[in-house]
Amino acid sequence: MIQNFIYMSGYGFYVWASFALTIIFCGFIYLKTLRTLKKYERDFAKEIDELSVEKKRIVLENSKIASQVLSSYNKSI
Amino acid sequence: MFGLLNNSNLFQWIEKLINFFNSIFFILLLVALSFALIISPPDYLQGDSVRIMYVHVPAAWIGLASYTCIAFLSILNFVFKIKNFSLVTKSIAPIGLLFTCIAIITGSLWGRPTWGTFWAWDARITSMLFLAFFYFLFIIINKFIKDDTKANKISSIVAIIGLVNIPIIKYSVDWFNTLHQPASIKITGTSTIHSSMLLPLFLMFLVLILYCALIFLMKYKTEIIKIKKKNLKR
């Protein structure tokens, strides 16, 4: 039964290759996108962290995004 | 209402949506794959090779829909100069290119057992190749032109020119003598596909749309952070 499932009446190569390539490509793009996002989040949080105390306070007060990125970065380390 | 659309509010929603989509994605993927590879019956003529349809057709739909979306947002961006639209188009383009390439490759794999060849310079396949080319051009322009305003302008022009290709792809099977079969699923009129095959097709479509939403949200979030990072340096 498993052999039939893999063989797919002779079309196994084409069917499995189609699904496998789709999953591989999608998986690759997912990981690449996630890695890029994390890299930018980390760099952005580091840049905020390196600001002077006064400037950091102003940035965090004026930007919800900056404070959110910084707090999630601090949680992750 | 427009207050909800500012980047700060969107950013919070994006975070929540990414977590929600991530939590349901794998369950839905398993269900859809079970239907596509096990539960759905083989075709009376094409046998099990018909299962390729469950990735090929949704991928082609997404490729076409993404480009149409990019082109219309580019037109709106030209007219109203809304910066968020260019962020959206930049985030959609890689997804569109990915699925256009998947549609071409899986179509080629389906073509071998059905038509006896991996490739034919037929109207539908060639116009899909043009679509991939337009996506590629759009991405390259945004990546290599450093001046954002100039990049947006040129890439928008490319997107609008490429819009001509969309009806050609859609109607190529009716206008030209091609190897590709006509559409089996029609928005207006009766579809010529059995419900036992329609269900896995829509499940796979749902999973791939969810995947697109995930990638789009992550890319959009990255673009927002890029802008904030640039503003920090000023």
Side-chain angles (χ1 to χ4, degrees):
Chain A
M1 192 191 154
I2 289 173
Q3 217 168 8
N4 282 346
F5 176 58
I6 293 167
Y7 188 62
M8 291 211 173
S9 3
Y11 297 115
F13 168 75
Y14 305 105
V15 176
W16 290 115
S18 298
F19 278 83
L21 285 174
T22 304
I23 289 169
I24 290 168
F25 287 157
C26 288
F28 174 74
I29 295 291
Y30 178 84
L31 289 178
K32 194 175 172 291
T33 311
L34 186 67
R35 209 173 283 174
T36 312
L37 171 64
K38 293 288 164 206
K39 182 188 168 288
Y40 273 98
E41 273 182 340
R42 206 173 41 235
D43 291 353
F44 185 48
K46 268 185 193 166
E47 274 180 35
I48 299 168
D49 240 358
E50 282 163 9
L51 291 173
S52 64
V53 179
E54 184 58 20
K55 215 172 173 190
K56 190 173 163 181
R57 190 184 61 79
I58 295 168
V59 168
L60 293 179
E61 263 177 19
N62 292 328
S63 169
K64 271 189 209 170
I65 294 174
S67 55
Q68 212 177 316
V69 171
L70 189 67
S71 71
S72 63
Y73 171 72
N74 286 336
K75 268 183 215 166
S76 70
I77 53 172
Chain B
M1 190 209 153
F2 286 105
L4 288 172
L5 293 175
N6 79 42
N7 281 340
S8 297
N9 289 332
L10 282 176
F11 200 81
Q12 285 178 318
W13 279 103
I14 288 171
E15 190 75 40
K16 283 176 192 164
L17 279 173
I18 289 175
N19 291 338
F20 173 67
F21 289 161
N22 264 326
S23 65
I24 58 168
F25 180 75
F26 281 101
I27 301 164
L28 260 173
L29 177 68
L30 283 178
V31 173
L33 284 178
S34 312
F35 269 93
L37 291 167
I38 305 165
I39 301 168
S40 78
D43 184 58
Y44 80 103
L45 198 64
Q46 297 187 45
D48 280 302
S49 74
V50 78
R51 295 182 199 282
I52 298 171
M53 172 179 75
Y54 303 129
V55 280
H56 173 74
V57 173
W61 284 347
I62 293 169
L64 283 175
S66 300
Y67 196 88
T68 312
C69 204
I70 289 173
F72 279 110
L73 286 176
S74 296
I75 294 171
L76 290 176
N77 195 19
F78 249 126
V79 180
F80 300 110
K81 306 264 181 280
I82 301 170
K83 208 173 180 187
N84 269 13
F85 284 173
S86 64
L87 294 187
V88 173
T89 54
K90 265 195 243 176
S91 310
I92 296 175
I95 303 167
L97 178 64
L98 168 73
F99 281 100
T100 305
C101 291
I102 288 175
I104 293 170
I105 294 166
T106 53
S108 173
L109 283 164
W110 199 4
R112 184 74 183 101
T114 352
W115 304 334
T117 178
F118 280 113
W119 188 262
W121 290 102
D122 129 302
R124 171 61 69 88
I125 307 167
T126 312
S127 53
M128 278 301 276
L129 202 62
F130 271 108
L131 180 67
F133 171 74
F134 275 110
Y135 271 125
F136 186 69
L137 215 57
F138 185 89
I139 293 167
I140 288 291
I141 289 166
N142 277 308
K143 203 171 175 74
F144 290 105
I145 297 180
K146 293 290 168 215
D147 179 2
D148 279 350
T149 323
K150 201 175 171 189
N152 280 339
K153 213 175 204 174
I154 301 173
S155 61
S156 295
I157 293 170
V158 168
I160 295 164
I161 294 170
L163 190 61
V164 178
N165 191 35
I166 301 296
I168 298 177
I169 297 173
K170 174 83 179 81
Y171 296 107
S172 55
V173 284
D174 305 317
W175 293 344
F176 304 99
N177 192 12
T178 111
L179 278 172
H180 201 283
Q181 68 169 76
S184 306
I185 298 163
K186 290 160 190 147
I187 299 169
T188 52
T190 327
S191 297
T192 54
I193 183 168
H194 193 262
S195 56
S196 58
M197 289 176 173
L198 202 58
L199 179 66
L201 187 62
F202 277 107
L203 278 173
M204 281 301 290
F205 179 63
L206 187 70
V207 167
L208 293 181
I209 280 288
L210 205 64
Y211 169 83
C212 290
L214 252 176
I215 299 291
F216 168 74
L217 290 171
M218 288 199 287
K219 285 209 176 283
Y220 192 75
K221 197 178 168 190
T222 310
E223 293 294 332
I224 294 175
I225 293 173
K226 271 186 197 173
I227 291 173
K228 291 283 165 191
K229 207 165 163 277
K230 250 186 210 170
N231 291 345
L232 203 65
K233 282 177 185 161
R234 278 179 196 162

